[in-house]
Amino acid sequence: MTTRDPASEPAWAWDEGRWRAGVSKVRAGRSLRPARWKDGARVCVALSFDSDHETSTLREGSVSPGRLSQGEYGARTAVPRILELLRREGVRVSFFVPGVVAKLHPDEQRRVVDAGHELAMHGWIHELTSELPGTVERDLMQRAYETLAKIAGRPPVGVRCPSWDFSPTTLGLIRELGLLYDSSLMADDEPYELLEDGAPTGIVELPVEWIKDDAPYLGMNRFSAIRPYTPPSAVLEIFKAEFDGAVAEGGLFLLTMHPHIIGHRSRIALLEELIRHIKRTEGVWFATHEEVARYCKENPGSGDRLRL
Ligand SMILES: [Zn+2]
């Protein structure tokens, strides 16, 4: 019989202490859903764009010009198109930007900030956070933080981890940096406080979900099975239904998009129609993630779904 490395012990052999500790390392705490949204709004809408651009290729150690150009489209064509739409509609949003993208396209980030949008962290080179050794993760987070602070003229207050995962040290580093919120986890539709090893951290979680993300429906990678199988009209239908559900519960509708994915002609139309659909509802509060996190932290409610 071979001696197993405890780290590779199969999950069915774990004792209760081990699976409980694993589950409670990072966990959802109290709901931060406010009793009322700002100015009595019925629903809160937080749109976000993850400007991955070239880093979705670079992070794999690839410098393929073809694949890089797919990301370059995000900076060159999509972000200007998106900023124009947001300007026309008078909507402010959050842009999550890797440090390397900020350095490749500093003028883009300045335009984003000058237009009143939020600039927030999204890793260094879109690295997979969960695979990083702790010391490397600290260094990359610090670099990303300082890079955005320098370009934006003020430090970022929020983070969305690339590919939406934490390492065992991520939450501790978020606390060390003194950030207000994270937007990478999925335990609720509504904002909540993150617990670390069962203890409240004061960090606001603004939850994401793959169903409220353009990439799983519309992504394309020639050398994997990723294909845009879903037509934009069906994506619009799903996003509208998520928004309508948030209205019915008086909750938060948080949507993640990627400039190089949503910014194409056939898809920006989807976003435009979604914004129009949202605006046909009375009492919508469009807010940046920072504004939502601050409001929820200052006005935490009972977490009950509102009955409208
Ligand atoms: Zn990303």
Side-chain angles (χ1 to χ4, degrees):
M1 191 179 158
T2 53
T3 307
R4 278 185 178 277
D5 172 1
S8 67
E9 199 176 21
W12 49 260
W14 294 1
D15 63 26
E16 183 167 345
R18 188 162 172 198
W19 49 254
R20 281 199 187 280
V23 164
S24 65
K25 180 66 201 166
V26 177
R27 191 89 163 143
R30 66 185 172 132
S31 175
L32 295 177
R33 173 205 177 84
R36 282 275 170 275
W37 290 110
K38 195 174 176 200
D39 299 329
R42 295 172 70 193
V43 62
C44 176
V45 173
L47 304 181
S48 52
F49 296 87
D50 295 0
S51 298
D52 300 345
H53 299 350
E54 296 90 342
T55 57
S56 39
T57 301
L58 290 173
R59 74 142 164 205
E60 294 169 8
S62 168
V63 288
S64 149
R67 288 197 54 204
L68 285 169
S69 71
Q70 192 183 17
E72 189 182 5
Y73 183 94
R76 184 182 173 88
T77 307
V79 169
R81 192 173 276 161
I82 289 165
L83 287 177
E84 173 54 21
L85 172 64
L86 296 173
R87 189 197 61 74
R88 257 190 349 254
E89 296 293 338
V91 172
R92 286 178 310 105
V93 305
S94 299
F95 283 81
F96 292 88
V97 182
V100 166
V101 168
K103 284 178 97 74
L104 282 169
H105 309 284
D107 289 346
E108 171 187 307
Q109 313 322 319
R110 284 190 272 269
R111 276 198 296 279
V112 160
V113 171
D114 288 348
H117 305 298
E118 177 190 3
L119 195 63
M121 294 169 67
H122 195 45
W124 174 248
I125 197 163
H126 213 275
E127 63 281 358
L128 278 181
T129 309
S130 50
E131 292 181 351
L132 296 175
T135 50
V136 175
E137 187 181 6
R138 172 179 278 110
D139 174 48
L140 295 182
M141 256 184 141
Q142 193 68 39
R143 270 198 263 166
Y145 179 86
E146 284 164 12
T147 301
L148 293 195
K150 201 168 160 194
I151 290 173
R154 66 178 286 246
V157 301
V159 62
R160 174 170 290 157
C161 292
S163 301
W164 295 350
D165 206 0
F166 278 16
S167 78
T169 48
T170 305
L171 184 50
L173 294 171
I174 288 172
R175 299 173 77 178
E176 258 182 56
L177 278 177
L179 298 180
L180 169 68
Y181 74 89
D182 170 73
S183 182
S184 316
L185 302 176
M186 310 184 199
D188 204 323
D189 296 304
E190 306 300 328
Y192 58 88
E193 180 175 11
L194 286 177
L195 305 180
E196 183 161 24
D197 296 320
T201 62
I203 303 293
V204 179
E205 178 61 38
L206 300 177
V208 292
E209 231 300 331
W210 298 111
I211 53 175
K212 289 178 278 182
D213 181 344
D214 58 356
Y217 306 114
L218 303 171
M220 171 71 201
N221 183 337
R222 170 70 181 79
F223 299 106
S224 80
I226 297 170
R227 292 286 181 278
Y229 293 115
T230 317
S233 55
V235 178
L236 175 62
E237 191 182 326
I238 296 165
F239 290 171
K240 274 182 175 173
E242 284 289 330
F243 168 74
D244 293 346
V247 173
E249 293 187 346
L252 168 69
F253 173 64
L254 185 152
L255 184 64
T256 301
M257 293 163 283
H258 299 77
H260 73 283
I261 294 175
I262 200 76
H264 288 274
R265 289 165 174 160
S266 55
R267 297 164 178 177
I268 196 86
L270 170 181
L271 176 57
E272 190 165 10
E273 177 48 35
L274 179 67
I275 291 173
R276 289 196 180 137
H277 176 77
I278 291 170
K279 284 188 163 178
R280 284 193 282 272
T281 302
E282 288 279 310
V284 177
W285 180 36
F286 280 100
T288 65
H289 286 42
E290 176 179 358
E291 289 166 337
V292 179
R294 279 198 201 290
Y295 186 83
C296 290
K297 200 166 178 176
E298 288 161 11
N299 303 277
S302 64
D304 295 339
R305 302 296 189 251
L306 299 185
R307 295 278 169 261
L308 297 172

